[in-house]
Amino acid sequence: MARIKIDLPDTLLFSATVAVRITDINYGNHVGNDAIVKFIHEARAQFLALYKFTELNVAGTALIMSSLIIDFKKESFFGDQLIVKLFAGNLSKVSFDFFYSIHATRNGQEVLIANAQTSMVSYDYSAGKVIAITTGLQKLLLL
């Protein structure tokens, strides 16, 4: 199987700092894959909260994650302060992708821990169906 490569968009939307907790460490004594999912979710939630939104209400629509890809690069450890950089791209009528680049700072250098990509679908929970992305959401994503 070919290794997945995630190409990050050029425009950075947001950066979040997330601390690696002891509960994020797995039996290999490094951050588990489940914790990486939590870190990107936290960054996405912080970005939306900055504009007074949640995933249930983003400029008139809700968001549902339809896929997730993680490309692991290096290990992360207890005590790391991770910087999660958030980007957006691949806009369609009803969906777009969030991209994430996760870094730790070690010895004054940024070390790439992982890149990730989540496909997000615009959704109306009251109608129970996928809907078109609103103009407000497009503006938020700078797309």
Side-chain angles (χ1 to χ4, degrees), residues 14-25 30-47 70 72 76-86 100-103 113-114 116:
F14 181 74
S15 288
T17 302
V18 181
V20 174
R21 304 160 305 168
I22 195 64
T23 55
D24 299 321
I25 303 302
H30 56 86
V31 168
N33 54 29
D34 58 322
I36 296 292
V37 176
K38 292 174 189 173
F39 298 151
I40 65 174
H41 187 185
E42 178 67 27
R44 190 171 62 247
Q46 285 185 27
F47 168 68
I70 302 173
F72 297 97
S76 182
F77 304 100
F78 174 64
D80 278 350
Q81 292 293 315
L82 300 179
I83 300 163
V84 184
K85 299 176 183 180
L86 178 68
Y100 314 81
S101 186
I102 304 168
H103 299 258
I113 302 301

Side-chain angles (χ1 to χ4, degrees), residues 26-97:
N26 65 15
Y27 58 87
N29 203 32
H30 56 86
V31 168
N33 54 29
D34 58 322
I36 296 292
V37 176
K38 292 174 189 173
F39 298 151
I40 65 174
H41 187 185
E42 178 67 27
R44 190 171 62 247
Q46 285 185 27
F47 168 68
L48 295 173
L50 181 66
Y51 298 96
K52 309 289 190 252
F53 293 129
T54 69
E55 289 182 347
L56 293 176
N57 181 9
V58 184
T61 186
L63 299 178
I64 293 179
M65 184 188 308
S66 63
S67 67
L68 165 67
I69 301 168
I70 302 173
D71 181 15
F72 297 97
K73 300 294 187 179
K74 299 275 186 196
E75 293 174 309
S76 182
F77 304 100
F78 174 64
D80 278 350
Q81 292 293 315
L82 300 179
I83 300 163
V84 184
K85 299 176 183 180
L86 178 68
F87 308 81
N90 300 333
L91 179 69
S92 77
K93 182 181 174 187
V94 298
S95 66
F96 66 95
D97 292 335

